[in-house]
Amino acid sequence: MKLKTDFLFTLLLFCVFAISAFSLVVIGAGVYETSVSSMEQNFEGRTALAYVAEKVRQNDNGASILAEENVLRITTEDVDGSYTLYIYEHEGFLTELFTRTELPFDMEAGRQLLKVQSFSVSEREEGLLEISTTEEGEEPVSLFLHLKSEGA
């Protein structure tokens, strides 16, 4: 009888250990999934801002940088002519369109870059741009850029 009791106690102890280990794995997987999802959303929103900021900084040397109706327009002069880069939100994506200045702006022709719920750009005061993005279920993230060039 003692042998049966020892076996049942050992089996019960093993089952408790196995259930605890399985529960720990399930809880850990849920925490990991939440963490990865949050990091991905944070990455997309901040990457969109970093991308736009870098484009502005690259061209902040006399190029015409304008914020109109949530579209950032960067116009540069080249030996071959005048070109305009449009950065805007279209159908849930941060989108860019690089074209000759004399051609009409067509939102459908742009290249999708990153998924964003909203994108806005405005000139707060002379030479100060506010750029904001929003991810689904998140608060808006904003960036202020001061333009250095006089031609902006």
Side-chain angles (χ1 to χ4, degrees), residues 51 55 59 63-68 71-78 80-88 95-106 109-111:
Y51 176 80
K55 286 296 183 180
N59 294 289
S64 173
I65 300 174
L66 298 170
E68 302 172 330
V71 175
L72 182 64
R73 189 175 79 190
I74 303 171
T75 304
T76 55
E77 297 290 329
D78 194 348
D80 299 329
S82 178
Y83 294 91
T84 301
L85 173 67
Y86 299 95
I87 300 175
Y88 54 97
T95 308
E96 76 172 0
L97 173 65
F98 185 74
T99 184
R100 294 185 67 81
T101 303
E102 61 268 9
L103 295 176
F105 173 56
D106 179 15
R111 181 174 57 117

Side-chain angles (χ1 to χ4, degrees), residues 36-95:
V36 166
S37 174
S38 175
M39 285 175 42
E40 187 175 288
Q41 285 181 344
N42 193 17
F43 169 78
E44 288 176 352
R46 297 204 188 278
T47 301
L49 287 178
Y51 176 80
V52 175
E54 189 58 32
K55 286 296 183 180
V56 169
R57 288 181 186 124
Q58 285 175 351
N59 294 289
D60 193 12
N61 57 1
S64 173
I65 300 174
L66 298 170
E68 302 172 330
E69 300 175 16
N70 290 332
V71 175
L72 182 64
R73 189 175 79 190
I74 303 171
T75 304
T76 55
E77 297 290 329
D78 194 348
V79 176
D80 299 329
S82 178
Y83 294 91
T84 301
L85 173 67
Y86 299 95
I87 300 175
Y88 54 97
E89 184 273 328
H90 181 64
E91 296 181 351
F93 286 91
L94 182 67
T95 308

Side-chain angles (χ1 to χ4, degrees), residues 1-42:
M1 186 73 168
K2 183 169 174 26
L3 185 62
K4 233 182 204 182
T5 309
D6 287 346
F7 177 74
L8 286 176
F9 178 74
T10 306
L11 184 63
L12 181 65
L13 189 61
F14 175 76
C15 288
V16 168
F17 174 75
I19 290 171
S20 298
F22 181 73
S23 299
L24 186 62
V25 169
V26 169
I27 290 170
V31 168
Y32 178 76
E33 183 180 356
T34 303
S35 198
V36 166
S37 174
S38 175
M39 285 175 42
E40 187 175 288
Q41 285 181 344
N42 193 17

